[in-house]
Amino acid sequence: MEADLSIFRKVLGADAAMFTIIKSWKRNNVGGKLTVDIEYILRSTKTGQTLYTREGYIKVDTSINGGGGLFGAVAGMIATAINTAATDKVVAGRKCNAFVLADLPAGKYSEYHEKDAKNPAGKKFIKETIK
């Protein structure tokens, strides 16, 4: 991770590179949860300096409510198991990224650059369940 990042600047013109480290990825089909332990590191391609870091322990809730009564509960459990098993890793990853990086300051190419300075930064470590 401490390697020279200038190649990203030379080839892609990137000012920074974001590294995503998935520490664990667990799927609980019956419980309807995907649990991801993830870390993000944004580093300058010019200086190598770390600009932003954040870690998250995110649960993606894939449960489905089957309705009331015994039949509804069983139907919901089956639907949840199928939905969790069928949830694409890319979809779950995008949900985690969007949630954890939601308050990342806008870069100089964004229309919101320097307009988001009053937005409060989130915690360095996030533990949350998202739908």
Side-chain angles (χ1 to χ4, degrees):
M1 185 91 73
E2 300 302 320
D4 180 16
L5 301 178
S6 63
I7 190 72
F8 291 104
R9 186 175 196 77
K10 290 175 190 167
V11 175
L12 302 173
D15 296 324
M18 175 71 78
F19 296 92
T20 304
I21 302 163
I22 299 172
K23 297 178 176 182
S24 71
W25 184 284
K26 298 173 188 163
R27 183 185 304 259
N28 180 339
N29 292 344
V30 176
K33 298 269 191 296
L34 292 167
T35 305
V36 183
D37 186 1
I38 195 162
E39 180 179 8
Y40 299 89
I41 302 169
L42 181 67
R43 290 187 49 215
S44 167
T45 58
K46 188 173 184 178
T47 66
Q49 175 186 4
T50 297
L51 305 171
Y52 174 91
T53 63
R54 177 165 286 162
E55 289 186 58
Y57 186 78
I58 309 297
K59 290 183 181 182
V60 180
D61 182 355
T62 59
S63 63
I64 296 174
N65 185 353
L70 180 60
F71 178 74
V74 171
M77 188 168 47
I78 292 169
T80 293
I82 292 169
N83 190 45
T84 304
T87 298
D88 186 278
K89 291 180 181 179
V90 173
V91 171
R94 285 182 182 150
K95 286 182 179 184
C96 289
N97 289 347
F99 184 80
V100 174
L101 301 175
D103 65 344
L104 181 68
K108 69 181 181 181
Y109 303 110
S110 170
E111 64 183 281
Y112 301 108
H113 180 60
E114 295 187 346
K115 295 177 184 174
D116 60 353
K118 293 182 181 179
N119 295 350
K123 297 176 183 175
K124 184 151 174 82
F125 181 83
I126 297 172
K127 187 174 183 179
E128 192 70 42
T129 299
I130 59 176
K131 189 74 175 158

